[in-house]
Amino acid sequence: MTTRSPETDLGRTRRARRIGRVLTETHPDAHCELDHSDALELAVATILSAQCTDKKVNEVTPKLFARYRSAADYAGADRGEMEELIRPTGFYRNKTSSLINLGRALCERYDGEVPGRLADLVTLPGIGRKTANVILGNAFDVPGITVDTHFQRLVQRWQLTAETDPVKIEHAIGALFPKRDWTMLSHRIIFHGRRVCHARKPACGACTLAKLCPAYGTGPTEPAAAAKLLKGPRARDLAAAVGLDPDLVPQQAAAADAP
């Protein structure tokens, strides 16, 4: 019986870069799935996304954004009115407090504008480091890594880091990739986690990363079983990318929203 030699730091970096290149080909549609037109709207949407799906947030925000157009509008909002607007996102009382306090902080400290620096963003109500990186990467074009549950699960499954603290994961993965790639890498990993590499039963037999993944076999490897686990509007394209018959993907899976 032979034992595999431990992966070197250089080997891990090279494998990580290959994973990044494959993800670029696999998910050309990767993007921020929270609808927004400016930094304030994105900040609000990310606060609402806590314990809520992006789809539900996007159903709520059109009316919210039409009613509250500036930081001053949020600062002076009627609590009861705002709670009713965002109720479907859950935890609406706490989120209302965060949005009102965010508006006040922006007006008091930043002339009503969302700042474009991490150090400033993380001091604002309702905005932690993960949210700040989402805002920086997608509203300001400042590269950032977003460590959500999908991102954390996948980089650990790929054995790119053994860290469990989100900030340490952010730094560990950031060291493996060029800074310019950080924002899109985050989107692609999250897309892969939602559509292919699920928490309980990943679609291993329908995954473009199979040859690069130490955890291959965690989910079904048989093509038909794996193809049924693919989700999202490009589920059949994902099957075709690994040489599977797209018709193996059930119609409802292709029509389903990725979680």
Side-chain angles (χ1 to χ4, degrees):
M1 180 178 178
T2 59
T3 57
R4 180 180 296 179
S5 299
E7 188 172 40
T8 64
D9 290 343
L10 178 59
R12 184 178 301 105
T13 299
R14 287 175 172 168
R15 184 166 61 87
R17 300 284 180 93
R18 288 198 294 271
I19 286 173
R21 289 193 291 271
V22 173
L23 287 175
T24 299
E25 297 172 359
T26 304
H27 303 289
D29 57 331
H31 62 281
C32 177
E33 294 189 281
L34 292 169
D35 295 339
H36 65 281
S37 62
D38 57 33
L40 178 60
E41 290 187 355
L42 182 55
V44 169
T46 53
I47 288 172
L48 296 179
S49 69
Q51 305 299 312
C52 182
T53 65
D54 290 351
K55 179 184 179 184
K56 179 59 66 177
V57 172
N58 291 338
E59 290 173 358
V60 167
T61 50
K63 288 184 179 179
L64 186 72
F65 293 161
R67 176 67 182 83
Y68 307 102
R69 297 179 179 275
S70 68
D73 290 339
Y74 285 97
D78 176 86
R79 173 175 289 275
E81 181 183 1
M82 182 176 285
E83 285 182 355
E84 284 306 307
L85 281 172
I86 69 172
R87 182 186 290 267
T89 69
F91 302 97
Y92 60 93
R93 290 192 179 92
N94 288 340
K95 291 178 181 179
T96 294
S97 294
S98 292
L99 294 181
I100 291 174
N101 290 330
L102 172 66
R104 290 173 179 169
L106 290 175
C107 289
E108 291 169 2
R109 287 152 45 194
Y110 298 104
D111 296 322
E113 299 296 324
V114 176
R117 294 196 319 140
L118 180 67
D120 295 327
L121 285 169
V122 295
T123 69
L124 295 169
I127 297 182
R129 191 178 179 94
K130 180 181 79 171
T131 298
N133 276 324
V134 171
I135 296 168
L136 288 174
N138 297 283
F140 293 101
D141 244 0
V142 175
I145 288 177
T146 303
V147 183
D148 74 346
T149 55
H150 297 291
F151 189 102
Q152 181 167 340
R153 182 180 76 253
L154 267 62
V155 297
Q156 290 173 342
R157 190 170 270 175
W158 297 332
Q159 295 181 17
L160 295 183
T161 179
E163 299 290 355
T164 56
D165 176 76
V167 177
K168 291 181 178 178
I169 290 172
E170 178 188 333
H171 292 312
I173 301 304
L176 298 174
F177 294 91
K179 188 172 183 178
R180 66 178 181 274
D181 296 340
W182 287 356
T183 299
M184 285 308 302
L185 174 72
S186 299
H187 290 320
R188 290 167 186 142
I189 290 178
I190 292 168
F191 262 53
H192 201 70
R194 288 175 168 171
R195 289 155 172 73
V196 183
C197 194
H198 314 298
R200 294 179 183 171
K201 192 184 273 189
C204 291
C207 180
T208 53
L209 296 174
K211 293 181 180 179
L212 297 169
C213 180
Y216 177 76
T218 301
T221 59
E222 197 275 319
K228 290 178 181 178
L229 297 174
L230 296 173
K231 293 182 180 179
R234 294 188 62 254
R236 292 188 168 178
D237 293 332
L238 295 173
V242 292
L244 300 183
D245 182 352
D247 288 336
L248 290 173
V249 179
Q251 184 64 42
Q252 61 268 32
D257 291 298

